């Protein structure tokens, strides 16, 4: 049985470009959103870690939703991160995000306080009850300190009507295989270098970072896979390996912003505690992107 993707197949977690004074470059936000539309995306995820959400104010997050939505209209889906380590704040941010025009929510496991599975389950139920928007759960224990265990994923998907998908950045494809078999939950790969392996166990698409630079290629990989052309999908995967590796030689938002600048797009600066890429890092990134077939303007 084919699992249908609720938000399309190709989504990129968009960076938030900042000016040199630390303010958001709003024209840059709009330009990047249009770039993602032009490179075959079905959705854009804003206000995630790649968007430096830990350093943006709630008011800025809501304005990002509005600006991106004003660019993409109804053409593609806009998901907004609303997760926090406090459930009450997450609930309020979910409501505010809906009011600002988000089409869906990306909700991460509560981080740092390491709740038990009962607390994780209660957290997601509370957020889902507070909004009409469809929710993609986000499982990334390397950042949050705790995973959403398989039983919890299955229980939430089967019992909460607006929990409709999972972004999986756990790196445990065996566990993901069982979750898909048990529940049929639509899973999106949250780790670019594992995109093709995730497809092989039943994932429906990607929530990518490398979609900033290689969106057309990732779309071609998805199209080939779902057309039954696995050799072509593998060919694209292997071609993009330098991009997948190069983008994460340091924190992904740092090098993605540098890559946008190399492509003539508004990457902008970072906000502390992130720091901008060094000249040496940019030069290595340039080599990685060129090796992966990415056209640069600088």
């Amino acid at each position: 049985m084919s699992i249908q993707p609720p938000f399309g197949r190709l989504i990129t977690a968009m960076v938030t470009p900042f000016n040199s004074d630390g303010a958001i470059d709003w024209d840059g936000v709009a330009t990047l959103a249009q770039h993602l539309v032009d490179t075959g995306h079905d959705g854009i995820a804003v206000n995630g870690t790649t968007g430096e959400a830990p350093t943006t104010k709630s008011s800025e997050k809501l304005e990002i939703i509005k600006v991106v939505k004003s660019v993409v209209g109804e053409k593609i889906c806009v998901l907004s991160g609303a997760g926090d380590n406090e459930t009450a704040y997450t609930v309020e941010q979910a409501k505010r995000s809906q009011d600002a025009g988000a089409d869906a929510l990306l909700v991460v496991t509560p981080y740092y306080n390491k709740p038990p599975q009962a607390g994780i389950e209660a957290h997601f139920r509370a957020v889902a009850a507070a909004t009409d928007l469809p929710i993609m759960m986000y499982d990334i224990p390397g950042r949050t300190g705790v995973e959403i265990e398989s039983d919890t994923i299955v229980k939430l998907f089967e019992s909460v009507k607006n929990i409709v998908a999972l972004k999986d950045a756990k790196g445990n494809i065996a566990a993901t295989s069982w979750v898909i078999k048990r529940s049929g939950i639509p899973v999106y790969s949250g780790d670019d270098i594992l995109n093709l392996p995730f497809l092989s166990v039943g994932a429906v698409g990607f929530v990518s970072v490398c979609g900033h630079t290689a969106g057309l290629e990732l779309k071609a990989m998805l199209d080939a896979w779902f057309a039954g052309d696995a050799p072509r999908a593998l060919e694209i995967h292997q071609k993009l390996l330098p991009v997948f590796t190069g983008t994460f030689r340091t924190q992904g938002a740092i090098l993605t912003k540098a890559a946008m600048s190399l492509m003539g797009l508004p990457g902008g600066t970072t906000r502390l505690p992130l720091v901008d890429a060094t000249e040496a890092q940019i030069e290595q990134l340039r080599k990685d992107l060129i090796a992966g077939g990415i056209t640069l303007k600088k």
Side-chain angles (χ1 to χ4, degrees), residues 44-57:
I44 298 173
V46 298
N47 298 321
T49 308
T50 305
E52 295 176 72
T55 66
T56 57
K57 300 178 180 65

Side-chain angles (χ1 to χ4, degrees), residues 229-267:
D229 191 352
R232 174 60 181 152
L234 176 59
E235 180 184 354
I236 297 168
H237 167 77
Q238 292 180 339
K239 175 188 173 185
L240 291 176
L241 284 173
V243 180
F244 298 154
T245 298
T247 301
F248 297 99
R249 290 185 188 275
T250 186
Q251 205 270 359
I254 294 172
L255 289 181
T256 297
K257 288 187 165 188
M260 293 291 87
S261 295
L262 289 172
M263 293 175 68
L265 290 161

Side-chain angles (χ1 to χ4, degrees), residues 6-8 10-12 37 41-46 68-69 72-80 101-105 134 136 188:
F7 308 115
L10 179 58
I11 302 165
T12 280
V37 172
H41 284 73
D42 301 305
I44 298 173
V46 298
V68 172
K69 193 66 185 171
V72 307
E74 300 303 316
K75 292 191 288 287
I76 66 176
C77 180
V78 176
L79 301 93
S80 183
D103 299 305
L105 300 174
M136 181 188 292
Y188 289 81

Side-chain angles (χ1 to χ4, degrees), residues 189-196 206 208-211 218 237 244 248:
S189 168
D191 189 348
D192 276 300
I193 206 163
L194 296 180
N195 284 344
L196 184 59
F206 316 143
S208 176
V209 174
C210 295
L218 290 173
H237 167 77
F244 298 154
F248 297 99

Side-chain angles (χ1 to χ4, degrees), residues 49-277:
T49 308
T50 305
E52 295 176 72
T55 66
T56 57
K57 300 178 180 65
S58 179
S59 58
E60 291 175 321
K61 290 178 172 69
L62 301 180
E63 188 64 20
I64 289 168
I65 295 169
K66 293 175 184 177
V67 170
V68 172
K69 193 66 185 171
S70 72
V71 172
V72 307
E74 300 303 316
K75 292 191 288 287
I76 66 176
C77 180
V78 176
L79 301 93
S80 183
D84 192 79
N85 61 340
E86 181 192 19
T87 301
Y89 178 86
T90 307
V91 164
E92 291 307 310
Q93 189 64 12
K95 293 176 181 176
R96 290 189 287 262
S97 298
Q98 179 169 342
D99 291 343
D103 299 305
L105 300 174
L106 179 65
V107 180
V108 73
T109 319
Y111 45 83
Y112 190 75
N113 38 19
K114 299 183 87 169
Q117 291 301 301
I120 291 171
E121 181 183 343
H123 174 86
F124 279 107
R125 289 186 184 278
V127 178
T131 177
D132 298 325
L133 294 180
I135 291 171
M136 181 188 292
M137 297 184 290
Y138 183 13
D139 188 12
I140 183 166
R143 287 189 185 275
T144 64
V146 62
E147 69 175 322
I148 316 175
E149 292 178 1
S150 296
D151 286 348
T152 306
I153 294 168
V154 172
K155 188 186 302 183
L156 286 167
F157 177 65
E158 292 181 343
S159 62
V160 182
K161 66 178 180 4
N162 56 330
I163 291 179
V164 301
L166 172 70
K167 178 184 177 184
D168 190 320
K170 185 152 49 185
N172 184 345
I173 292 180
T176 304
S177 300
W178 275 106
V179 162
I180 293 171
K181 176 179 171 59
R182 288 174 60 190
S183 68
I185 186 170
V187 169
Y188 289 81
S189 168
D191 189 348
D192 276 300
I193 206 163
L194 296 180
N195 284 344
L196 184 59
F198 264 94
L199 292 180
S200 76
V201 299
V204 299
F206 316 143
V207 179
S208 176
V209 174
C210 295
H212 286 90
T213 52
L216 292 172
E217 292 84 351
L218 290 173
K219 179 173 173 53
M221 182 198 294
L222 285 160
D223 288 347
W225 178 265
F226 287 102
D229 191 352
R232 174 60 181 152
L234 176 59
E235 180 184 354
I236 297 168
H237 167 77
Q238 292 180 339
K239 175 188 173 185
L240 291 176
L241 284 173
V243 180
F244 298 154
T245 298
T247 301
F248 297 99
R249 290 185 188 275
T250 186
Q251 205 270 359
I254 294 172
L255 289 181
T256 297
K257 288 187 165 188
M260 293 291 87
S261 295
L262 289 172
M263 293 175 68
L265 290 161
T269 63
T270 55
R271 280 182 178 173
L272 285 170
L274 299 188
V275 292
D276 294 343

